[in-house]
Amino acid sequence: MAQRTARSRRPAAVRAFLVRHSGPDAAFGRRMVLAVAVTAVAAVPFALALVLVESRWPPLYRLDRATAERLHGAALAHPSWVRVLDFFTGVVWDPVTLRLLVGALVVWLLTRRAWRLAAWAGVTSASGALIGFLVKNVVERARPHLPEPVAHAPGFSFPSGHAMTAMTSAAVLLLVLLPLVPRSWRAVPWALAATAVLGVGYTRIALGVHWVSDVVGGWLLGIAVVTATALVFGAWRADTGRPRTAVGEGLEPEIAVARAPEAPSEGVSRPAS
């Protein structure tokens, strides 16, 4: 009899456990765990690149050296082209310029009372800059030393700060502003973002201030940072009862609506507390 009573109590205990662990807090916890796991996967390519750089993997070393020498030779043969590259890397796509664009975006979001989206944009840009700086000073990789250099840059080489800032800034601008662009025109901002990211990488290598692996490392680390913060933002949306959004829709499609995007949409129910 005692055994049957104990067995009958087990389903009730299991149900009670599930009820206690299936509320909004538990759901948010599961989403955060998933976000951490996805971020870890997104960071794997950068970690692999870091290992290859630190171990001076011969194929990567040869690629870095051959590309640097070829582009350096082209730069020496075309001084006017060097001035064009200098203008783009030092003015148009300079990290300061790109961060000012993100700063202007944050101010605009604040005027629309999109507090959380503004916080996401600011935190993503600032954390990207800080993480890139810390990694660069931990790795301490020397910049290319080429005969008759056409440009100079201070600090260490891996990952490229220009490349990482271009990736994070382009991603922030895209994920915030895409909802404001008509669907038939959305290929344009994607093309502009890709041009900026690839163009920054090319200018840094062509000017002889970074290796190819520095630029790729900057891109990969930038992707990992944006992935992490975007997943946290998505978890907040889910926790407040908002629908999931695809990358092509932007982080907060409600930003395109004239009213304050922080207000809950009509017909969207919040999880019971």
Side-chain angles (χ1 to χ4, degrees):
M1 178 68 70
Q3 291 179 346
R4 285 198 300 271
T5 303
R7 283 197 297 269
S8 65
R9 288 175 180 170
R10 287 174 189 169
V14 171
R15 286 194 296 271
F17 176 84
L18 292 176
V19 168
R20 288 197 304 270
H21 294 80
S22 61
D25 291 340
F28 182 74
R30 288 193 295 270
R31 285 190 288 270
M32 291 302 294
V33 170
L34 178 62
V36 171
V38 174
T39 302
V41 172
V44 167
F46 172 76
L48 178 60
L50 176 58
V51 169
L52 295 179
V53 167
E54 286 285 78
S55 63
R56 294 178 64 87
W57 190 47
L60 182 61
Y61 178 80
R62 289 194 294 269
L63 172 65
D64 279 341
R65 177 61 62 179
T67 305
E69 291 176 351
R70 183 168 61 253
L71 293 181
H72 181 63
L76 289 175
H78 302 89
S80 58
W81 181 235
V82 173
R83 289 192 291 271
V84 173
L85 296 178
D86 253 330
F87 172 74
F88 275 97
T89 196
V91 178
V92 179
W93 294 325
D94 185 76
V96 173
T97 303
L98 296 176
R99 287 171 189 148
L100 286 175
L101 283 176
V102 174
L105 176 69
V106 170
V107 171
W108 177 75
L109 290 171
L110 292 175
T111 64
R112 292 180 64 90
R113 299 171 59 195
W115 316 120
R116 291 180 177 86
L117 196 57
W120 174 81
V123 168
T124 300
S125 179
S127 61
L130 177 61
I131 292 171
F133 174 80
L134 293 176
V135 173
K136 190 187 289 277
N137 283 274
V138 168
V139 177
E140 294 186 342
R141 188 188 196 188
R143 292 183 182 271
H145 294 285
L146 300 170
E148 302 180 63
V150 298
H152 299 275
F156 298 112
S157 191
F158 181 90
S160 166
H162 278 69
M164 184 175 177
T165 302
M167 179 62 75
T168 54
S169 300
V172 166
L173 293 168
L174 272 177
L175 291 175
V176 171
L177 298 177
L178 269 178
L180 303 176
V181 181
R183 290 181 181 274
S184 58
W185 287 90
R186 287 187 182 176
V188 175
W190 280 103
L192 291 174
T195 300
V197 171
L198 295 174
V200 166
Y202 175 78
T203 60
R204 304 308 286 169
I205 301 168
L207 289 172
V209 293
H210 276 296
W211 305 106
V212 172
S213 53
D214 297 335
V215 169
V216 174
W219 290 340
L220 295 175
L221 187 56
I223 290 173
V225 169
V226 173
T227 299
T229 59
L231 286 172
V232 171
F233 189 88
W236 165 78
R237 279 184 62 85
D239 195 52
T240 56
R242 300 192 179 199
R244 295 179 181 274
T245 60
V247 173
E249 298 297 321
L251 278 186
E252 186 90 331
E254 296 86 352
I255 195 68
V257 183
R259 63 185 174 181
E262 295 296 331
S265 302
E266 295 179 5
V268 176
S269 60
R270 292 177 177 270
S273 58

